[in-house]
Amino acid sequence: MPDQGSIGVAVIGGGMAGRAHAAAYRTASTLFGLDRPAVRLVAVADVNRALAEDAARRYGYRRAEAGWEAVATAPDVDAVSVAAANQLHREIVEGLLAAGKHVLCEKPLAATYADAQAMTEAAEASRLVTGVGYTYRRSPAISAIRELLAAGELGEIIQFSGRYWEDYALDPATPLTWRYQGGTGSGALADLGSHLTDIAEQLCGPMVEVSGAMVRTVLTSRPVPAGATVGHDPAEVTGQTGPVQNGPVQNEDAAVFTSRFGGGAVGTFSVSRVAHGQPDGLGFEVFGTTGSAAFDLHRMGEFSISTTGLGRAVNGPRRVIVGPEHPYVRQGLPMVAAGVGYGTGDMFGYQARAFLDQIGGIPGLPPCADFRTGLHGIAVLDAIVASARSGGAAVPVG
Ligand SMILES: NC(=O)c1ccc[n+]([C@@H]2O[C@H](COP(=O)([O-])OP(=O)(O)OC[C@H]3O[C@@H](n4cnc5c(N)ncnc54)[C@H](O)[C@@H]3O)[C@@H](O)[C@H]2O)c1
Protein backbone atom coordinates (compact mmCIF):
# COMPACT_ATOMS: atom_id res chain seq x y z
CA MET A 1 0.00 0.00 0.00
CA PRO A 2 1.69 3.27 -1.11
CA ASP A 3 0.32 5.32 1.82
CA GLN A 4 1.66 2.97 4.49
CA GLY A 5 3.61 4.73 7.21
CA SER A 6 2.51 8.18 6.12
CA ILE A 7 0.05 10.46 7.93
CA GLY A 8 -3.07 11.58 6.07
CA VAL A 9 -4.17 15.02 7.20
CA ALA A 10 -7.37 17.03 6.79
CA VAL A 11 -8.56 20.45 7.88
CA ILE A 12 -12.09 21.32 9.00
CA GLY A 13 -12.86 24.90 8.05
CA GLY A 14 -11.55 26.73 5.00
CA GLY A 15 -11.82 30.16 6.64
CA MET A 16 -9.11 32.37 8.11
CA ALA A 17 -7.52 29.81 10.44
CA GLY A 18 -8.38 26.80 8.27
CA ARG A 19 -6.29 28.14 5.43
CA ALA A 20 -3.38 28.65 7.81
CA HIS A 21 -3.65 25.02 8.96
CA ALA A 22 -3.93 23.78 5.39
CA ALA A 23 -0.78 25.69 4.44
CA ALA A 24 0.98 24.54 7.60
CA TYR A 25 0.72 20.82 6.90
CA ARG A 26 2.26 21.49 3.53
CA THR A 27 5.16 23.29 5.19
CA ALA A 28 5.48 20.78 8.03
CA SER A 29 7.17 18.22 5.81
CA THR A 30 9.94 20.75 5.05
CA LEU A 31 10.78 21.31 8.73
CA PHE A 32 13.32 19.46 10.87
CA GLY A 33 14.71 16.08 9.80
CA LEU A 34 13.59 14.06 6.82
CA ASP A 35 13.27 10.94 8.97
CA ARG A 36 9.62 11.63 9.75
CA PRO A 37 6.61 9.88 8.17
CA ALA A 38 5.48 11.50 4.95
CA VAL A 39 2.48 13.83 5.11
CA ARG A 40 -0.43 13.19 2.76
CA LEU A 41 -2.56 16.30 2.18
CA VAL A 42 -5.97 14.65 1.91
CA ALA A 43 -8.92 16.98 2.42
CA VAL A 44 -10.20 20.42 3.39
CA ALA A 45 -13.81 20.46 4.56
CA ASP A 46 -16.13 23.44 4.80
CA VAL A 47 -19.91 23.77 4.59
CA ASN A 48 -19.07 26.64 2.28
CA ARG A 49 -17.95 24.36 -0.53
CA ALA A 50 -16.25 27.14 -2.49
CA LEU A 51 -13.93 27.86 0.46
CA ALA A 52 -13.07 24.18 0.84
CA GLU A 53 -12.30 23.91 -2.85
CA ASP A 54 -10.22 27.07 -2.88
CA ALA A 55 -8.10 25.93 0.06
CA ALA A 56 -7.76 22.35 -1.23
CA ARG A 57 -6.55 23.54 -4.60
CA ARG A 58 -4.39 26.33 -3.24
CA TYR A 59 -2.50 24.11 -0.82
CA GLY A 60 -2.45 20.89 -2.84
CA TYR A 61 -4.99 18.72 -0.99
CA ARG A 62 -6.49 15.76 -2.83
CA ARG A 63 -10.11 16.76 -2.30
CA ALA A 64 -12.61 19.22 -0.85
CA GLU A 65 -15.43 18.02 1.36
CA ALA A 66 -18.71 19.73 2.31
CA GLY A 67 -18.54 19.04 6.05
CA TRP A 68 -16.56 17.47 8.86
CA GLU A 69 -18.57 14.24 8.73
CA ALA A 70 -17.01 13.24 5.41
CA VAL A 71 -13.58 13.64 7.00
CA ALA A 72 -14.54 11.58 10.03
CA THR A 73 -15.55 8.64 7.85
CA ALA A 74 -12.62 8.90 5.43
CA PRO A 75 -10.28 5.92 5.81
CA ASP A 76 -7.33 7.81 4.31
CA VAL A 77 -7.41 10.55 6.99
CA ASP A 78 -5.45 10.00 10.21
CA ALA A 79 -5.16 13.50 11.71
CA VAL A 80 -7.43 16.53 11.55
CA SER A 81 -7.16 20.21 12.39
CA VAL A 82 -10.42 21.75 13.56
CA ALA A 83 -10.66 25.41 12.58
CA ALA A 84 -14.38 26.13 12.76
CA ALA A 85 -16.33 28.46 15.04
CA ASN A 86 -15.68 27.90 18.75
CA GLN A 87 -19.31 26.87 19.31
CA LEU A 88 -18.83 23.96 16.84
CA HIS A 89 -15.61 22.57 18.32
CA ARG A 90 -17.26 20.10 20.67
CA GLU A 91 -19.54 18.43 18.15
CA ILE A 92 -16.80 18.19 15.52
CA VAL A 93 -14.03 17.06 17.87
CA GLU A 94 -16.17 14.43 19.58
CA GLY A 95 -17.22 13.12 16.17
CA LEU A 96 -13.64 12.92 14.96
CA LEU A 97 -12.39 11.23 18.14
CA ALA A 98 -15.22 8.68 17.92
CA ALA A 99 -14.05 7.96 14.38
CA GLY A 100 -10.48 7.39 15.58
CA LYS A 101 -8.84 10.56 14.23
CA HIS A 102 -6.05 12.46 15.96
CA VAL A 103 -7.23 16.04 16.53
CA LEU A 104 -5.55 19.45 16.67
CA CYS A 105 -8.33 21.83 17.76
CA GLU A 106 -8.11 25.58 17.44
CA LYS A 107 -8.15 27.79 20.54
CA PRO A 108 -10.12 28.34 22.65
CA LEU A 109 -10.82 24.62 23.09
CA ALA A 110 -14.57 25.21 23.27
CA ALA A 111 -17.22 27.88 23.74
CA THR A 112 -18.03 26.77 27.31
CA TYR A 113 -16.28 25.02 30.19
CA ALA A 114 -18.82 22.17 30.04
CA ASP A 115 -18.06 21.57 26.36
CA ALA A 116 -14.31 21.70 26.98
CA GLN A 117 -14.63 19.27 29.87
CA ALA A 118 -16.58 16.77 27.77
CA MET A 119 -14.02 17.06 24.98
CA THR A 120 -11.17 16.59 27.44
CA GLU A 121 -12.78 13.46 28.85
CA ALA A 122 -13.34 12.08 25.34
CA ALA A 123 -9.71 12.84 24.43
CA GLU A 124 -8.33 11.22 27.56
CA ALA A 125 -10.50 8.14 27.11
CA SER A 126 -9.14 7.69 23.58
CA ARG A 127 -5.62 6.59 22.69
CA LEU A 128 -5.44 9.37 20.16
CA VAL A 129 -3.16 12.39 19.98
CA THR A 130 -5.03 15.61 20.72
CA GLY A 131 -3.81 19.20 20.93
CA VAL A 132 -4.97 22.81 21.15
CA GLY A 133 -3.69 25.35 18.62
CA TYR A 134 -1.99 27.90 20.85
CA THR A 135 0.09 29.13 17.94
CA TYR A 136 2.20 31.62 19.86
CA ARG A 137 3.89 28.79 21.73
CA ARG A 138 5.70 28.28 18.41
CA SER A 139 7.05 31.80 18.28
CA PRO A 140 10.84 31.41 18.41
CA ALA A 141 11.11 34.66 20.40
CA ILE A 142 8.45 33.71 22.96
CA SER A 143 9.84 30.21 23.35
CA ALA A 144 13.35 31.67 23.76
CA ILE A 145 12.06 33.94 26.57
CA ARG A 146 10.36 30.95 28.13
CA GLU A 147 13.63 29.00 28.08
CA LEU A 148 15.49 31.93 29.68
CA LEU A 149 12.89 32.15 32.45
CA ALA A 150 12.85 28.40 33.02
CA ALA A 151 16.65 28.40 33.31
CA GLY A 152 16.42 31.14 35.97
CA GLU A 153 18.35 33.63 33.80
CA LEU A 154 16.00 36.46 34.79
CA GLY A 155 15.76 35.39 38.43
CA GLU A 156 12.50 34.84 40.21
CA ILE A 157 9.52 36.07 38.18
CA ILE A 158 7.89 39.09 39.79
CA GLN A 159 5.44 40.45 37.29
CA PHE A 160 3.89 39.99 33.84
CA SER A 161 2.13 42.67 31.85
CA GLY A 162 0.45 41.65 28.61
CA ARG A 163 -1.84 43.02 25.97
CA TYR A 164 -3.54 41.64 22.91
CA TRP A 165 -5.17 44.46 21.03
CA GLU A 166 -6.81 44.19 17.63
CA ASP A 167 -9.14 46.51 15.78
CA TYR A 168 -11.16 44.12 13.64
CA ALA A 169 -14.47 44.88 15.43
CA LEU A 170 -14.13 48.65 15.53
CA ASP A 171 -15.92 49.18 12.22
CA PRO A 172 -19.71 49.11 12.89
CA ALA A 173 -20.08 47.59 9.41
CA THR A 174 -18.22 44.43 10.52
CA PRO A 175 -20.87 41.73 10.15
CA LEU A 176 -22.42 39.76 13.01
CA THR A 177 -20.48 36.48 12.78
CA TRP A 178 -20.15 33.62 15.27
CA ARG A 179 -17.46 35.71 17.07
CA TYR A 180 -20.15 38.07 18.42
CA GLN A 181 -22.45 35.37 19.80
CA GLY A 182 -22.23 33.71 23.17
CA GLY A 183 -22.35 36.01 26.19
CA THR A 184 -19.55 37.53 28.22
CA GLY A 185 -16.21 35.79 27.83
CA SER A 186 -16.91 34.62 24.28
CA GLY A 187 -15.82 37.90 22.66
CA ALA A 188 -12.36 39.47 22.82
CA LEU A 189 -11.52 37.31 25.82
CA ALA A 190 -12.11 34.00 23.97
CA ASP A 191 -10.63 35.24 20.73
CA LEU A 192 -7.54 37.13 21.93
CA GLY A 193 -7.41 36.67 25.70
CA SER A 194 -7.09 32.89 25.25
CA HIS A 195 -3.77 33.43 23.45
CA LEU A 196 -2.55 35.96 26.00
CA THR A 197 -3.33 33.91 29.10
CA ASP A 198 -1.67 30.88 27.54
CA ILE A 199 1.46 32.90 26.81
CA ALA A 200 1.47 34.26 30.38
CA GLU A 201 1.15 30.76 31.85
CA GLN A 202 3.84 29.45 29.53
CA LEU A 203 6.17 32.06 30.97
CA CYS A 204 5.04 32.39 34.60
CA GLY A 205 3.37 29.06 35.36
CA PRO A 206 -0.28 28.38 36.12
CA MET A 207 -2.56 31.19 37.25
CA VAL A 208 -4.27 30.53 40.57
CA GLU A 209 -6.43 33.62 40.85
CA VAL A 210 -7.79 36.46 38.75
CA SER A 211 -9.31 39.69 39.99
CA GLY A 212 -10.21 43.22 39.01
CA ALA A 213 -11.84 42.09 35.77
CA MET A 214 -13.87 44.57 33.77
CA VAL A 215 -15.44 44.15 30.35
CA ARG A 216 -16.92 46.58 27.91
CA THR A 217 -19.11 46.16 24.84
CA VAL A 218 -18.90 49.17 22.58
CA LEU A 219 -21.08 48.05 19.69
CA THR A 220 -24.20 46.22 20.88
CA SER A 221 -25.59 45.36 17.46
CA ARG A 222 -24.08 44.62 14.08
CA PRO A 223 -25.27 44.06 10.51
CA VAL A 224 -26.56 40.56 9.77
CA PRO A 225 -24.53 38.93 6.98
CA ALA A 226 -26.41 37.87 3.87
CA GLY A 227 -24.28 34.77 3.36
CA ALA A 228 -20.95 33.23 4.27
CA THR A 229 -18.30 35.17 6.19
CA VAL A 230 -14.56 34.60 6.44
CA GLY A 231 -12.61 35.59 9.55
CA HIS A 232 -12.90 39.35 10.10
CA ASP A 233 -13.51 40.16 6.43
CA PRO A 234 -16.30 42.52 5.38
CA ALA A 235 -19.27 40.64 3.90
CA GLU A 236 -22.51 41.33 2.11
CA VAL A 237 -25.19 42.18 4.66
CA THR A 238 -28.99 41.95 4.69
CA GLY A 239 -29.73 45.51 5.79
CA GLN A 240 -30.91 44.28 9.18
CA THR A 241 -28.93 44.40 12.41
CA GLY A 242 -28.78 41.82 15.15
CA PRO A 243 -27.76 41.93 18.82
CA VAL A 244 -24.19 41.10 19.86
CA GLN A 245 -25.19 38.42 22.32
CA ASN A 246 -26.70 35.05 22.72
CA GLY A 247 -26.70 34.72 26.49
CA PRO A 248 -27.77 36.93 29.36
CA VAL A 249 -24.80 39.30 29.13
CA GLN A 250 -23.16 40.82 26.09
CA ASN A 251 -20.15 39.50 24.26
CA GLU A 252 -17.30 41.89 25.09
CA ASP A 253 -15.26 44.09 22.80
CA ALA A 254 -12.63 44.84 25.46
CA ALA A 255 -11.55 43.47 28.82
CA VAL A 256 -8.97 44.09 31.53
CA PHE A 257 -8.04 41.95 34.52
CA THR A 258 -5.23 41.07 36.89
CA SER A 259 -3.95 37.69 38.00
CA ARG A 260 -1.82 35.91 40.57
CA PHE A 261 0.36 33.00 39.44
CA GLY A 262 1.08 29.93 41.59
CA GLY A 263 4.75 30.89 41.83
CA GLY A 264 3.83 34.25 43.35
CA ALA A 265 4.12 36.47 40.28
CA VAL A 266 1.33 38.96 39.56
CA GLY A 267 -0.02 39.94 36.16
CA THR A 268 -2.00 42.64 34.40
CA PHE A 269 -3.83 42.00 31.14
CA SER A 270 -5.63 44.05 28.53
CA VAL A 271 -7.45 42.67 25.50
CA SER A 272 -9.48 44.41 22.86
CA ARG A 273 -10.92 43.88 19.41
CA VAL A 274 -11.74 47.61 19.09
CA ALA A 275 -8.23 49.03 19.60
CA HIS A 276 -7.79 51.69 16.95
CA GLY A 277 -4.59 51.30 14.95
CA GLN A 278 -3.76 47.86 16.37
CA PRO A 279 -4.52 45.24 13.73
CA ASP A 280 -2.47 42.62 15.58
CA GLY A 281 -1.04 44.25 18.71
CA LEU A 282 0.19 41.40 20.88
CA GLY A 283 2.94 42.20 23.34
CA PHE A 284 4.16 41.68 26.87
CA GLU A 285 6.84 42.49 29.43
CA VAL A 286 7.97 40.06 32.09
CA PHE A 287 10.08 41.17 35.03
CA GLY A 288 12.26 38.97 37.22
CA THR A 289 14.57 39.71 40.14
CA THR A 290 17.69 39.77 37.94
CA GLY A 291 16.37 40.66 34.52
CA SER A 292 13.44 41.37 32.26
CA ALA A 293 12.29 40.55 28.74
CA ALA A 294 9.79 42.06 26.34
CA PHE A 295 8.11 40.95 23.12
CA ASP A 296 6.11 42.82 20.48
CA LEU A 297 4.44 40.85 17.70
CA HIS A 298 5.05 43.72 15.29
CA ARG A 299 8.74 42.76 15.52
CA MET A 300 8.23 39.02 15.49
CA GLY A 301 11.81 37.96 14.94
CA GLU A 302 13.22 39.71 17.99
CA PHE A 303 12.75 40.44 21.66
CA SER A 304 14.45 42.68 24.16
CA ILE A 305 16.22 41.60 27.28
CA SER A 306 17.78 43.28 30.28
CA THR A 307 20.11 41.47 32.67
CA THR A 308 22.47 42.57 35.39
CA GLY A 309 25.44 40.89 33.68
CA LEU A 310 26.73 43.95 31.80
CA GLY A 311 26.98 46.24 34.77
CA ARG A 312 25.03 49.39 35.51
CA ALA A 313 26.67 51.64 32.92
CA VAL A 314 25.38 49.67 29.91
CA ASN A 315 22.50 47.85 31.47
CA GLY A 316 19.63 49.03 29.28
CA PRO A 317 17.37 46.59 27.48
CA ARG A 318 19.10 44.98 24.49
CA ARG A 319 17.50 43.78 21.27
CA VAL A 320 18.01 40.10 20.51
CA ILE A 321 17.48 38.88 16.94
CA VAL A 322 16.21 35.35 17.42
CA GLY A 323 18.32 32.62 15.85
CA PRO A 324 19.97 31.26 13.90
CA GLU A 325 20.69 28.62 16.54
CA HIS A 326 17.16 28.44 17.92
CA PRO A 327 15.76 25.08 16.72
CA TYR A 328 12.74 26.64 15.02
CA VAL A 329 15.10 28.78 13.00
CA ARG A 330 17.98 26.35 12.45
CA GLN A 331 15.75 23.49 11.35
CA GLY A 332 12.81 25.43 10.13
CA LEU A 333 13.61 28.28 7.81
CA PRO A 334 14.70 27.24 4.34
CA MET A 335 17.51 29.82 4.39
CA VAL A 336 19.53 29.50 7.58
CA ALA A 337 22.06 32.22 8.13
CA ALA A 338 22.74 34.65 10.94
CA GLY A 339 20.18 37.44 10.99
CA VAL A 340 18.01 35.89 8.27
CA GLY A 341 14.69 35.87 10.00
CA TYR A 342 11.01 35.71 9.51
CA GLY A 343 9.61 36.88 6.23
CA THR A 344 12.65 35.86 4.19
CA GLY A 345 11.02 32.60 3.13
CA ASP A 346 7.88 34.52 2.23
CA MET A 347 9.89 36.77 -0.08
CA PHE A 348 11.17 33.68 -1.90
CA GLY A 349 7.55 32.58 -2.26
CA TYR A 350 6.45 35.90 -3.77
CA GLN A 351 9.45 35.82 -6.09
CA ALA A 352 8.61 32.30 -7.29
CA ARG A 353 5.00 33.36 -7.91
CA ALA A 354 6.11 36.41 -9.89
CA PHE A 355 8.53 34.31 -11.98
CA LEU A 356 5.85 31.69 -12.72
CA ASP A 357 3.34 34.45 -13.59
CA GLN A 358 5.83 35.92 -16.04
CA ILE A 359 6.13 32.51 -17.71
CA GLY A 360 2.34 32.21 -17.85
CA GLY A 361 1.90 35.79 -19.12
CA ILE A 362 -0.19 36.72 -16.07
CA PRO A 363 -0.07 40.43 -15.22
CA GLY A 364 -0.24 41.93 -11.73
CA LEU A 365 2.99 41.31 -9.85
CA PRO A 366 6.09 43.32 -10.67
CA PRO A 367 8.30 41.08 -12.81
CA CYS A 368 11.63 39.74 -11.62
CA ALA A 369 14.59 41.96 -12.42
CA ASP A 370 15.86 41.16 -15.91
CA PHE A 371 19.42 40.11 -16.72
CA ARG A 372 20.28 43.58 -17.99
CA THR A 373 19.45 44.91 -14.53
CA GLY A 374 21.66 42.19 -13.07
CA LEU A 375 24.43 43.17 -15.46
CA HIS A 376 24.12 46.77 -14.27
CA GLY A 377 24.43 45.54 -10.68
CA ILE A 378 27.75 43.90 -11.52
CA ALA A 379 28.93 47.09 -13.20
CA VAL A 380 28.14 49.02 -10.01
CA LEU A 381 30.15 46.53 -7.96
CA ASP A 382 33.06 46.73 -10.39
CA ALA A 383 32.98 50.53 -10.19
CA ILE A 384 33.08 50.37 -6.38
CA VAL A 385 36.06 48.03 -6.47
CA ALA A 386 37.82 50.21 -9.03
CA SER A 387 37.20 53.27 -6.87
CA ALA A 388 38.61 51.50 -3.82
CA ARG A 389 41.66 50.31 -5.74
CA SER A 390 42.37 53.80 -6.98
CA GLY A 391 42.30 55.31 -3.54
CA GLY A 392 38.72 56.59 -3.71
CA ALA A 393 38.66 58.15 -7.17
CA ALA A 394 35.38 58.77 -8.98
CA VAL A 395 34.69 55.83 -11.32
CA PRO A 396 31.85 55.82 -13.86
CA VAL A 397 29.41 52.89 -13.71
CA GLY A 398 29.39 50.69 -16.83
N1 LIG B 1 -4.45 30.33 16.29
C1 LIG B 1 -4.78 31.47 15.75
O1 LIG B 1 -3.98 32.40 15.66
C2 LIG B 1 -6.20 31.66 15.23
C3 LIG B 1 -6.47 32.70 14.32
C4 LIG B 1 -7.77 32.84 13.84
C5 LIG B 1 -8.76 31.98 14.29
N2 LIG B 1 -8.47 30.99 15.19
C6 LIG B 1 -9.50 30.05 15.65
O2 LIG B 1 -9.88 29.25 14.53
C7 LIG B 1 -11.28 28.96 14.57
C8 LIG B 1 -11.93 29.45 13.30
O3 LIG B 1 -11.77 30.86 13.18
P1 LIG B 1 -11.81 31.56 11.73
O4 LIG B 1 -11.48 32.98 11.93
O5 LIG B 1 -11.00 30.77 10.76
O6 LIG B 1 -13.35 31.43 11.38
P2 LIG B 1 -14.03 31.55 9.98
O7 LIG B 1 -15.43 31.95 10.23
O8 LIG B 1 -13.18 32.36 9.04
O9 LIG B 1 -13.98 30.05 9.40
C9 LIG B 1 -14.70 28.99 9.96
C10 LIG B 1 -15.16 28.10 8.84
O10 LIG B 1 -15.78 26.93 9.37
C11 LIG B 1 -16.76 26.54 8.44
N3 LIG B 1 -17.69 25.57 9.00
C12 LIG B 1 -18.79 25.82 9.74
N4 LIG B 1 -19.41 24.64 10.02
C13 LIG B 1 -18.68 23.67 9.45
C14 LIG B 1 -18.83 22.24 9.37
N5 LIG B 1 -19.86 21.62 9.94
N6 LIG B 1 -17.88 21.52 8.69
C15 LIG B 1 -16.85 22.17 8.11
N7 LIG B 1 -16.68 23.50 8.16
C16 LIG B 1 -17.58 24.25 8.81
C17 LIG B 1 -17.42 27.86 8.05
O11 LIG B 1 -18.15 27.76 6.85
C18 LIG B 1 -16.23 28.79 7.95
O12 LIG B 1 -15.74 28.91 6.63
C19 LIG B 1 -11.79 29.60 15.86
O13 LIG B 1 -11.77 28.64 16.88
C20 LIG B 1 -10.78 30.70 16.14
O14 LIG B 1 -10.68 31.03 17.51
C21 LIG B 1 -7.22 30.82 15.64
Side-chain angles (χ1 to χ4, degrees), residues 5-383:
S6 62
I7 301 175
V9 297
V11 176
I12 310 293
M16 182 167 67
R19 279 170 60 136
H21 280 261
Y25 284 117
R26 199 181 156 95
T27 306
S29 56
T30 71
L31 306 179
F32 292 84
L34 292 177
D35 53 345
R36 274 111 167 141
V39 178
R40 273 177 292 113
L41 307 175
V42 180
V44 179
D46 198 301
V47 288
N48 181 342
R49 182 94 202 181
L51 279 183
E53 272 164 13
D54 180 278
R57 212 174 135 209
R58 200 175 280 277
Y59 301 110
Y61 284 67
R62 290 181 187 173
R63 57 182 189 266
E65 301 285 10
W68 67 266
E69 296 87 345
V71 167
T73 53
D76 53 349
V77 172
D78 304 300
V80 185
S81 276
V82 175
N86 302 340
Q87 297 90 328
L88 300 174
H89 288 184
R90 178 177 177 178
E91 178 197 354
I92 297 173
V93 169
E94 285 182 346
L96 291 169
L97 291 176
K101 311 299 185 196
H102 306 291
V103 174
L104 175 60
C105 181
E106 259 305 341
K107 49 50 66 178
L109 180 57
T112 66
Y113 186 84
D115 281 0
Q117 191 169 32
M119 292 160 71
T120 304
E121 282 162 14
E124 288 173 355
S126 77
R127 302 178 72 88
L128 298 159
V129 177
T130 48
V132 183
Y134 289 120
T135 336
Y136 293 108
R137 290 188 179 202
R138 307 293 163 191
S139 149
I142 295 175
S143 66
I145 294 172
R146 180 175 182 235
E147 285 152 24
L148 285 169
L149 287 164
E153 299 279 348
L154 307 181
E156 188 190 324
I157 308 167
I158 299 170
Q159 193 168 356
F160 174 93
S161 172
R163 61 206 167 271
Y164 201 162
W165 298 324
E166 294 202 358
D167 63 3
Y168 66 81
L170 193 54
D171 185 349
T174 302
L176 186 68
T177 67
W178 61 264
R179 278 190 161 81
Y180 302 93
Q181 304 295 343
T184 295
S186 62
L189 280 167
D191 208 28
L192 307 171
S194 58
H195 277 305
L196 190 58
T197 56
D198 184 66
I199 291 168
E201 291 193 307
Q202 283 285 295
L203 301 181
C204 305
M207 278 183 206
V208 292
E209 183 186 292
V210 299
S211 55
M214 282 186 268
V215 296
R216 173 145 193 227
T217 306
V218 181
L219 289 144
T220 55
S221 65
R222 291 184 180 273
V224 175
T229 60
V230 176
H232 312 307
D233 289 356
E236 212 180 308
V237 292
T238 59
Q240 294 177 323
T241 57
V244 175
Q245 65 179 331
N246 199 14
V249 198
Q250 276 172 328
N251 168 316
E252 72 288 348
D253 286 325
V256 293
F257 59 98
T258 66
S259 77
R260 187 177 294 282
F261 296 86
V266 292
T268 52
F269 298 78
S270 172
V271 301
S272 175
R273 60 186 181 190
V274 290
H276 195 281
Q278 294 283 336
D280 207 10
L282 168 68
F284 63 80
E285 285 83 27
V286 58
F287 299 99
T289 49
T290 60
S292 64
F295 173 76
D296 177 355
L297 186 60
H298 294 130
R299 305 180 74 109
M300 198 187 269
E302 62 186 64
F303 62 96
S304 74
I305 186 167
S306 169
T307 56
T308 47
L310 291 180
R312 295 186 76 84
V314 287
N315 200 26
R318 302 182 294 288
R319 188 170 68 123
V320 176
I321 306 294
V322 185
E325 293 306 327
H326 192 281
Y328 287 155
V329 178
R330 166 64 62 195
Q331 298 187 70
L333 299 182
M335 179 177 278
V336 180
V340 171
Y342 295 88
T344 300
D346 296 317
M347 290 191 297
F348 278 89
Y350 298 136
Q351 176 175 266
R353 185 71 266 164
F355 181 54
L356 294 169
D357 282 1
Q358 273 178 268
I359 294 167
I362 300 163
L365 290 174
C368 296
D370 61 16
F371 276 19
R372 189 146 296 283
T373 307
L375 175 65
H376 171 78
I378 304 294
V380 171
L381 295 178
D382 281 354

